Amino acid sequence: MENLLIFLGKASLLLILFYLSYQLLLKQESSFSLNRKFLLAGLLTSVILPNLYFTKKVFVAAQTLSLAPANLANYAITQTPAPQTDWWEIAGFCYLIVTGIFLLRLCLQLASLFKIIAGHSFEKIGRYNFITTSRYSLPISFFNFIIYNPAQHRLDELKLILEHEKVHARQFHSADILMANLF
């Protein structure tokens, strides 16, 4: 458990470093492709770098221990101390609980999205499936599905919003969001 938590700590520190670098250097950039590549590189780096270990092997000659009865008299029998609280294990369980909560949240969000997609008819135009709804005010794109409420926007706004959502679908923005949530 201790090794897993150390790995997760290192990965988290790398993610924080990449996020702070993004906030300081790239947030104002208009090159969204560069921003996306930088953030995806940060996710991949946070998995790869904590697994790299640089070690130096040192060979030490083993000492010999004679188990003759004369040598055994020098050793005292001691009792093992009572088990202490394993804080690494407690931290690991806390991490698993929080991870489970976030995973449950993601599953509920995906189930809600699939419910919207399954519960509405859609109009296929090219590679995109457009779903009009009256329940939701914000447009949503999920892979090739674009869900929007036409009553919430003027016609000129709606055209821009749908073009924007098409770009999200074309660039697989949903895959980026799923991957970031899983990380």
Side-chain angles (χ1 to χ4, degrees), residues 13-23 38-39 41-42 45:
L13 288 175
L14 284 167
L15 285 173
I16 290 169
L17 180 67
F18 266 87
Y19 180 73
L20 291 175
S21 300
Y22 169 78
Q23 289 292 329
F38 181 81
L39 292 171
T45 302

Side-chain angles (χ1 to χ4, degrees), residues 152-168:
Q152 295 288 322
H153 309 282
R154 294 187 326 258
L155 186 59
D156 58 331
E157 285 179 336
L158 191 59
K159 287 181 181 180
L160 286 173
I161 289 170
L162 293 179
E163 285 302 316
H164 178 82
E165 294 303 322
K166 284 181 188 177
V167 170
H168 281 288

Side-chain angles (χ1 to χ4, degrees), residues 47-165:
V47 172
I48 294 169
L49 282 183
N51 284 317
L52 296 179
Y53 292 98
F54 300 101
T55 58
K56 178 180 177 184
K57 290 186 180 181
V58 177
F59 295 100
V60 178
Q63 295 180 351
T64 58
L65 176 63
S66 172
L67 295 178
N71 287 343
L72 289 177
N74 295 334
Y75 295 98
I77 298 175
T78 59
Q79 293 181 344
T80 57
Q84 296 180 352
T85 305
D86 186 1
W87 293 106
W88 285 107
E89 191 170 330
I90 291 170
F93 285 125
C94 290
Y95 182 85
L96 288 176
I97 289 169
V98 171
T99 301
I101 290 169
F102 281 119
L103 192 58
L104 178 64
R105 179 179 154 255
L106 177 64
C107 290
L108 291 174
Q109 289 173 338
L110 287 173
S112 174
L113 189 58
F114 290 139
K115 184 178 176 184
I116 294 169
I117 292 171
H120 291 81
S121 60
F122 56 87
E123 180 183 358
K124 186 166 181 68
I125 300 174
R127 61 189 272 196
Y128 307 106
N129 302 309
F130 293 93
I131 298 174
T132 57
T133 181
S134 60
R135 285 187 61 197
Y136 306 98
S137 61
L138 293 176
I140 304 166
S141 63
F142 185 71
F143 291 100
N144 289 334
F145 288 93
I146 298 174
I147 304 161
Y148 66 100
N149 183 348
Q152 295 288 322
H153 309 282
R154 294 187 326 258
L155 186 59
D156 58 331
E157 285 179 336
L158 191 59
K159 287 181 181 180
L160 286 173
I161 289 170
L162 293 179
E163 285 302 316
H164 178 82
E165 294 303 322

